Amino acid sequence: MKNRFFIIGMLITIIAMVSCKKNGLLDPKTEPLSEDKVFADSALTNNFLNNIYATTGMDVVPLRNNLVSNGGASDNNGNLDDLSTNNGSGLSGQNVFLTGGSSPSSGPFQATYAAYYQKIRATNKLLNNLPKTPLSSAKKKRLAAEARFLRAFYYQALVRLYGAVQLMGDDASDDFPTYEYKRSTYKQCVDYIAAEYDKAALDLPGSLNLDAVDYGRATSGACKALKARLFITAASPLFNGTPVAATTEQAPLVTYSTTYDVSLWQKAADACKAVIDLPEYALVIDNTLAAYPGNGFWKMFTESRKNSEYIYVYNIAKGKTLESYWFPRSLGTSPFSGTTLSNPTENIVKAFGMNNGKAITDPSSGYVDTNPYNNRDPRFYYSIIYNQAMVSDKTTTVLKPISIFTDRATGTTSADGITQYYTKTGYYSRKMCNDRLPFSTLNVDRAYPIIRLAEVYLGYAEALNELGQTELAVTWLNKIRDRAGIIPGSDGRYGIPAGITKENLRTIIRNEYRVEFYQEGHWFYDTRRWRTAEQTEKEGVNGTKVYRESNGSFTYTSFTALTTIFISPQMYFVPIPNAEVLKSKGLLVQNPGW
């Protein structure tokens, strides 16, 4: 199988440092390791497993290229929101993908298919060799469960992008196997992944019993939460009902049920409730500071890598990585190669409602287009840096306004105004960033959330609403809105009208996903599973140009930074790399439209 899922690195690049004495000094030398040597050593076996974890953050890291060893120019993209109209980006991946320039031979996901399969094959290699390692029986059991979790995780990552893929079972051979190289059905993939999570959960600890040194490793709760995400996706319109596939051969590869099956939503609701009922998870809530309503939303990302809401995370070293990539240059940041990264668009700015919970398009919301950033959803202020937004100075805790405007009289652009390699949309991101301490001394202890409890709450609300239990869905949705600092109103409904219909609540829930999980790698997948990407991805990557008038006031003009297209059905799924199709000798069916 080495020609398909080539795994350079898992055995050969785990290097043993052999020290010898030379001239009275330790002279380190390297020795390439064989499979037998790795699994005959406890520490190397553990390191082998750690290496499998290394790519789990692909959807949430600020630079996806960093996790793909052979990404190349075609994979040149930042975080996953950069491949949607939520962000503007100076990296080439966005321009290629959102203008329809991808193909089975090139595009932002060319290296992803092989990267994930490499990890799957590595888990199989570990599972096959664990019995002969010198680890204790208890340790072998734990590592086997972690490997099973990771195998399910990477299969789930594949099916979110490609639809059905080939299930390899426990095969870890270096040559082509005897079985045919072709895709399983989407239903087979989902059912297999769910079963693997169930098996792994039996032998994994809960987060309350997790040693501090193991934080970020698989837990039983992570298994259950990711299974809930899996079932929510399978119940969604892209996979539940009339397929987007053009042929009967493709249909089972991209659909769980070719006729709408409402019971899939019940299955999803049950999976979400199983996570909600666990004792170890709770939303991070802090509505005690008048100056910072919904402060729990900010605190969750910035005060510690571990909290009650995070279910599974991607650990990173302490530092200021996000702030360096995303903050304005006036704060002393060092942009990646001088390239604009992850600028929020006017599209996402308009998605944030008002602090009374109403959409800005609602005439009763209080929104004023001449003062567009006033009284917005508190999450807006924890996510977006806009003209005159207050951010800590780079050397002190004094808050200062960020100027992102053009002077009407002179035509000059302010320090952080719309300029190539600064911002292409008129906004900067501060989601998950610490903007209250000076940039020069920032050393944030954080992890990137892969899945957190808020997603399970929203998934539960979505499933209940699709089952016709709309008022119960409102209850769970409002738990998110309460934490966000939305004003409950005299009716205690957080801006949601009494007697709301299922269809109208569906619209609100979908927008809630967008603003709650902005920059967390959700919107790309959500618009596809809902089959709404053909609307949202045609809107263009839009920005706001701000002018400072002679009297000191500001005026606002919308513009399009990048004209985008969405080609249906092909852009609902990423194409299987053409090289893989050729290797299969015609057995690997390509995705619809490709």
Side-chain angles (χ1 to χ4, degrees):
M1 220 181 278
K2 61 186 177 184
N3 290 325
R4 290 183 292 156
F5 315 128
F6 202 45
I7 194 167
I8 292 176
M10 298 306 297
L11 292 173
I12 298 174
T13 63
I14 296 178
I15 300 298
M17 299 302 295
V18 181
S19 295
C20 64
K21 206 165 186 179
K22 181 180 179 182
N23 297 327
L25 298 174
L26 288 177
D27 181 26
K29 294 183 179 179
T30 61
E31 178 184 330
L33 297 175
S34 67
E35 182 175 319
D36 288 339
K37 286 183 179 180
V38 169
F39 295 113
D41 183 281
S42 298
L44 292 176
T45 300
N46 278 291
N47 287 341
F48 188 89
L49 176 63
N50 292 342
N51 193 288
I52 302 173
Y53 275 99
T55 318
T56 55
M58 186 79 88
D59 289 340
V60 71
V61 294
L63 281 171
R64 299 177 73 252
N65 282 32
N66 288 350
L67 298 186
V68 182
S69 60
N70 60 336
S74 66
D75 284 85
N76 194 8
N77 54 86
N79 70 359
L80 199 57
D81 275 44
D82 287 4
L83 298 181
S84 77
T85 52
N86 271 355
N87 281 344
S89 173
L91 295 173
S92 61
Q94 180 179 74
N95 287 17
V96 170
F97 190 76
L98 292 182
T99 59
S102 294
S103 76
S105 301
S106 66
F109 294 100
Q110 270 298 298
T112 306
Y113 188 87
Y116 287 160
Y117 264 118
Q118 286 170 8
K119 299 302 183 182
I120 290 168
R121 181 170 170 268
T123 62
N124 288 348
K125 184 77 72 175
L126 178 62
L127 288 167
N128 291 346
N129 282 280
L130 264 179
K132 67 182 183 184
T133 64
L135 300 168
S136 67
S137 296
K139 187 67 172 177
K140 288 178 182 178
K141 187 177 182 180
R142 168 74 177 273
L143 262 60
E146 288 189 44
R148 194 177 293 278
F149 164 85
L150 288 165
R151 182 167 65 182
F153 180 92
Y154 285 115
Y155 272 126
Q156 185 172 3
L158 282 166
V159 299
R160 292 180 90 188
L161 288 171
Y162 300 97
V165 295
Q166 182 187 38
L167 296 173
M168 296 170 58
D170 294 330
D171 182 83
S173 61
D174 290 326
D175 297 305
F176 277 98
T178 56
Y179 56 80
E180 295 178 317
Y181 182 19
K182 63 180 182 180
R183 299 165 74 176
S184 305
T185 69
Y186 182 81
K187 184 179 187 302
Q188 287 171 336
C189 290
V190 169
D191 293 348
Y192 172 80
I193 294 165
E196 288 293 285
Y197 280 138
D198 287 343
K199 292 175 185 176
L202 295 175
D203 294 325
L204 288 172
S207 64
L208 294 178
N209 300 316
L210 196 67
D211 292 336
V213 70
D214 289 329
Y215 182 65
R217 304 185 82 88
T219 64
S220 57
C223 291
K224 294 173 182 177
L226 287 163
K227 186 176 82 167
R229 174 190 282 177
L230 180 74
F231 285 170
I232 286 287
T233 301
S236 298
L238 184 62
F239 303 101
N240 185 10
T242 304
V244 296
T247 69
T248 55
E249 185 181 30
Q250 291 172 330
L253 304 178
V254 294
T255 316
Y256 191 92
S257 175
T258 56
T259 57
Y260 179 71
D261 183 356
V262 70
S263 72
L264 294 179
W265 284 112
Q266 186 61 58
K267 192 175 180 180
D270 293 343
C272 290
K273 192 61 165 60
V275 180
I276 292 168
D277 289 342
L278 294 173
E280 58 254 55
Y281 304 115
L283 296 179
V284 177
I285 299 174
D286 180 5
N287 285 319
T288 62
L289 302 176
Y292 295 107
N295 188 55
F297 185 78
W298 178 87
K299 184 162 68 173
M300 167 178 54
F301 301 115
T302 58
E303 292 201 347
S304 173
R305 68 179 60 243
K306 186 175 183 179
N307 60 62
S308 63
E309 186 166 335
Y310 283 0
I311 299 176
Y312 184 57
V313 302
Y314 186 75
N315 277 323
I316 61 168
K318 292 176 68 174
K320 48 188 172 186
T321 301
L322 285 183
E323 293 83 1
S324 295
Y325 287 152
W326 292 351
F327 274 10
R329 288 194 178 189
S330 65
L331 296 178
T333 62
S334 302
F336 169 69
S337 300
T339 300
T340 300
L341 289 180
S342 299
N343 301 144
T345 59
E346 186 179 75
N347 313 52
I348 183 65
V349 167
K350 287 182 174 180
F352 285 92
M354 303 298 286
N355 62 4
N356 57 17
K358 298 180 179 181
I360 65 171
T361 54
D362 186 331
S364 66
S365 68
Y367 176 75
V368 179
D369 58 11
T370 56
N371 191 13
Y373 310 129
N374 192 42
N375 294 328
R376 301 294 289 272
D377 180 331
R379 289 171 293 190
F380 170 77
Y381 303 108
Y382 301 137
S383 303
I384 311 293
I385 295 176
Y386 52 92
N387 180 52
Q388 302 305 298
M390 304 299 287
V391 178
S392 178
D393 183 72
K394 63 184 176 182
T395 58
T396 73
T397 57
V398 174
L399 297 180
K400 72 165 196 175
I402 300 297
S403 294
I404 313 172
F405 63 78
T406 298
D407 188 272
R408 178 76 76 176
T410 66
T412 57
T413 300
S414 63
D416 295 311
I418 297 174
T419 308
Q420 187 178 20
Y421 306 137
Y422 285 53
T423 173
K424 64 190 297 182
T425 64
Y427 300 100
Y428 296 90
S429 177
R430 55 176 155 186
K431 176 68 180 286
M432 299 188 281
C433 294
N434 191 326
D435 56 353
R436 300 180 194 173
L437 293 176
F439 176 85
S440 60
T441 57
L442 270 183
N443 193 28
V444 183
D445 181 28
R446 80 173 132 229
Y448 298 139
I450 292 174
I451 190 164
R452 52 188 177 90
L453 186 62
E455 179 183 343
V456 182
Y457 276 24
L458 274 179
Y460 191 46
E462 181 181 6
L464 290 172
N465 187 53
E466 296 303 327
L467 290 167
Q469 301 176 55
T470 298
E471 276 306 301
L472 184 56
V474 169
T475 299
W476 286 95
L477 172 59
N478 281 342
K479 292 179 186 294
I480 300 294
R481 291 190 154 205
D482 175 69
R483 186 275 293 281
I486 299 294
I487 299 168
S490 59
D491 59 1
R493 293 182 64 86
Y494 298 87
I496 298 176
I500 189 169
T501 64
K502 179 171 77 172
E503 290 71 25
N504 287 342
L505 187 63
R506 180 188 295 140
T507 299
I508 291 174
I509 288 172
R510 289 178 176 180
N511 193 71
E512 200 77 16
Y513 272 104
R514 188 176 196 178
V515 299
E516 175 75 19
F517 299 109
Y518 170 61
Q519 294 284 51
E520 295 181 54
H522 286 248
W523 190 242
F524 178 92
Y525 295 116
D526 285 338
T527 56
R528 280 158 177 78
R529 70 180 179 88
W530 295 326
R531 292 178 74 159
T532 58
E534 55 198 85
Q535 288 87 46
T536 60
E537 299 309 283
K538 285 182 178 178
E539 294 172 353
V541 171
N542 300 320
T544 304
K545 189 161 189 177
V546 181
Y547 290 95
R548 185 176 65 183
E549 306 297 340
S550 57
N551 62 0
S553 65
F554 295 103
T555 55
Y556 308 88
T557 301
S558 299
F559 69 96
T560 298
L562 177 68
T563 300
T564 59
I565 65 174
F566 187 90
I567 306 169
S568 182
Q570 69 186 59
M571 290 179 72
Y572 275 112
F573 294 95
V574 173
I576 304 291
N578 191 52
E580 302 300 326
V581 176
L582 293 176
K583 290 171 191 174
S584 75
K585 298 180 179 179
L587 294 177
L588 201 62
V589 177
Q590 184 57 274
N591 274 328
W594 297 104

